[in-house]
Amino acid sequence: MTRAEELENRLGLLVKFGGLVTKETNLNKLLDLIAKQVEEILSSERCSIFLLEASTNELWSKIAHGIGQTEIRVPVGRGIVGQVALTGAPLNISDAYASEKFNPEIDRITRFKTKSILAVPLKNVNGNIIGVFEVLNKRHGPFNEEDEGILQLLSSLAASAIENAQLYETISQSQLETIYRLAITAEYRDQHDTAIHLRHISEYSAMIASSLGLAEKQVENIKYASPLHDIGKVAIADAILLKPAKLTAEEFEEMKKHTLYGAKILCNAQSNLLQVACKIAASHHEKFDGTGYPNKLKGGQIPLEARIVSVADVFDALCMPRVYKPSWEPEKAKEYILEESSKSFDPQVVKAFIDIYPDILEIQRQPDPRSTIIPGIHKNLKSGT
Ligand code: C2E
Ligand code: SIN
Ligand code: SIN
Ligand code: FE
């Protein structure tokens, strides 16, 4: 390749990089994408992105390790990466193990052999350091000044994409938190185990959806919308909702309206998530054979999301104690779901449920995680996003 061809090639990669990174709003995927692109652009063996966590003054990174990923944390000031975060100045080291600044701990964890390192700060538009961008082991010779220039350019593109993704995650995490709190408030008169029941429904529904092969975004919508399925119970009188005995026919007619109230609360929303939640609230008591409520919808007339949540809801409702009934053994609840295949439930959804039944038992066995009422949030806080 001539020099001119090489430059043109790099320019092409840069343009592609800019286009790719501005489209991805999922932080983990964005970080992966950036790392892969940078490895290619700088002909290096590895690119690691360390993000600064202000509350602990640590840098964290997810690093490929065997088949999975390991989270690595480095205090600001420690090693090459910590030094760059502290001073804001790039470092170009041709032989890592000959440098006294190098911290070999990470290599020990990942069993990677670092040779050359080029590290530059990730700065946002205000010039604040939000992390460190590091490439390791250039394939031919040490990193040169041109590599340094390119990495700085890439790092400013990457920094703004990363900040956007972080902002986006904060917004949607706080939306989700609001939704969960709303759902819990609505139901907590009903049962004190509401939070755990909602978490089960959320996870079972997502697992069934995923096993049915739905797209990731759809699975996510079902996961976060499903806890709102009974929100209409806010409008049901205590005398009915809390009755520690069987409802009269008249009372049950009133109870059935929770689907209509729920739909009213959730419909005509802008967000996709709430639109899915509306369908689920409206139709989670419809039955596959057309004998359900409120509209006696049949088969495919019932939105798929509602057919999924219906199985998750009934299974978990059976396994939980209620003011009007004791809890059932999971095996008995599973038998009930099977018996109702093609009657109450979509047989394909039942099949998916049976396929993932061991995973469901696994979740059910987990101790009550009071602090993780809100799926995903606790985990995300821990990973520093
Ligand atoms: P839920 O307690 O969350 O129950 C959701 C669904 O799980 C029920 O929808 C039903 O399909 C299933 N399920 C729950 N427990 C049993 C059971 O012991 N046997 C069978 N075969 N299925 C069960 P459903 O029946 O449309 O009820 C909707 C909601 O109405 C219930 O939500 C609950 O809040 C209330 N409800 C239903 N029956 C009674 C009752 O006898 N007494 C009281 N106090 N509330 C009731
Ligand atoms: C260091 O920061 O000193 C080590 C860098 C690395 O191996 O990723
Ligand atoms: C969210 O992720 O919280 C909102 C997504 C949507 O509106 O579809
Ligand atoms: Fe319901």
Side-chain angles (χ1 to χ4, degrees):
M1 217 189 283
T2 67
R3 180 85 186 123
E5 279 169 345
E6 197 182 309
L7 285 177
E8 197 179 317
N9 185 30
R10 282 197 161 177
L11 191 64
L13 291 170
L14 278 176
V15 170
K16 184 173 145 212
F17 180 81
L20 282 173
V21 300
T22 46
K23 282 195 204 88
E24 183 57 69
T25 51
N26 177 296
L27 183 62
N28 278 330
K29 286 193 194 150
L30 176 67
L31 295 174
D32 267 1
L33 181 75
I34 292 173
K36 292 222 175 65
Q37 288 287 310
V38 171
E39 280 160 17
E40 187 184 337
I41 295 171
L42 287 179
S43 321
S44 56
E45 284 178 15
R46 182 172 287 203
C47 168
S48 308
I49 301 158
F50 288 81
L51 295 182
L52 182 65
E53 187 177 81
S55 59
T56 55
N57 208 28
E58 283 178 341
L59 295 150
W60 64 271
S61 178
K62 294 220 172 92
I63 291 188
H65 181 217
I67 48 161
Q69 283 193 324
T70 310
E71 187 181 293
I72 289 180
R73 289 184 163 261
V74 185
V76 167
R78 170 99 156 254
I80 311 279
V81 165
Q83 173 96 4
V84 171
L86 189 67
T87 63
L91 279 176
N92 184 349
I93 311 268
S94 58
D95 180 1
Y97 281 84
S99 163
E100 58 193 29
K101 292 196 198 89
F102 179 69
N103 163 20
E105 258 170 66
I106 299 178
D107 273 7
R108 265 204 293 278
I109 298 169
T110 59
R111 300 205 190 117
F112 181 81
K113 179 80 175 14
T114 301
K115 288 171 228 143
S116 54
I117 303 182
L118 176 61
V120 304
L122 274 170
K123 287 187 186 158
N124 69 10
V125 282
N126 301 323
N128 297 321
I129 294 176
I130 65 162
V132 175
F133 214 15
E134 176 194 67
V135 277
L136 304 176
N137 297 3
K138 182 160 169 176
R139 291 190 200 280
H140 310 286
F143 291 106
N144 56 33
E145 256 174 55
E146 193 183 310
D147 295 326
E148 218 173 295
I150 291 174
L151 191 60
Q152 276 180 349
L153 183 61
L154 291 173
S155 101
S156 62
L157 290 172
S160 67
I162 289 169
E163 268 209 327
N164 273 340
Q166 284 175 324
L167 193 64
Y168 186 86
E169 290 215 335
T170 319
I171 294 170
S172 74
Q173 285 299 326
S174 60
Q175 282 176 333
L176 296 176
E177 177 154 6
T178 308
I179 287 171
Y180 271 86
R181 290 190 192 273
L182 192 64
I184 290 165
T185 313
E187 279 200 63
Y188 107 136
R189 283 186 306 155
D190 190 4
Q191 322 128 28
H192 41 228
D193 290 327
T194 296
I196 195 156
H197 177 56
L198 294 181
R199 190 177 74 90
H200 285 165
I201 290 188
S202 173
E203 299 205 1
Y204 301 168
S205 301
M207 283 154 57
I208 295 170
S210 170
S211 160
L212 283 167
L214 301 195
E216 197 184 334
K217 185 73 204 166
Q218 244 176 320
V219 173
E220 202 173 78
N221 277 338
I222 292 173
K223 174 168 177 177
Y224 294 122
S226 54
L228 292 169
H229 71 286
D230 267 347
I231 191 138
K233 282 183 180 173
V234 277
I236 304 294
D238 283 357
I240 295 177
L241 189 67
L242 305 183
K243 184 177 173 182
K246 209 166 157 43
L247 300 177
T248 64
E250 207 175 289
E251 287 166 338
F252 194 57
E253 281 314 303
E254 186 53 36
M255 187 63 181
K256 285 177 177 177
K257 292 187 190 153
H258 78 278
T259 51
L260 300 172
Y261 298 139
K264 226 174 178 168
I265 293 169
L266 296 166
C267 285
N268 301 319
Q270 287 288 313
S271 97
N272 246 320
L273 187 67
L274 290 184
Q275 285 167 18
V276 172
C278 174
K279 288 194 229 174
I280 293 172
S283 304
H284 70 280
H285 288 294
E286 298 290 358
K287 293 187 176 176
F288 200 70
D289 62 9
T291 62
Y293 62 87
N295 292 318
K296 295 194 160 56
L297 299 181
K298 206 172 181 165
Q301 292 176 326
I302 309 166
L304 177 60
E305 295 92 336
R307 279 179 267 148
I308 291 171
V309 172
S310 161
V311 170
D313 179 31
V314 173
F315 176 75
D316 204 59
L318 291 173
C319 294
M320 304 287 271
R322 288 287 192 253
V323 283
Y324 62 92
K325 67 154 200 58
S327 62
W328 291 20
E329 285 302 316
E331 273 308 305
K332 188 177 161 201
K334 179 184 127 187
E335 286 310 314
Y336 179 81
I337 299 290
L338 273 171
E339 274 163 32
E340 288 294 314
S341 181
S342 303
K343 293 184 230 163
S344 292
F345 309 123
D346 178 343
Q348 272 173 297
V349 175
V350 172
K351 189 184 172 300
F353 168 84
I354 297 298
D355 287 345
I356 54 144
Y357 182 69
D359 303 327
I360 287 191
L361 281 185
E362 193 57 44
I363 289 181
Q364 208 174 45
R365 267 199 293 268
Q366 284 167 11
D368 179 0
R370 298 245 176 244
S371 59
T372 55
I373 289 165
I374 300 145
I377 287 186
H378 191 63
K379 204 172 61 212
N380 271 302
L381 285 176
K382 255 180 31 200
S383 69
T385 56

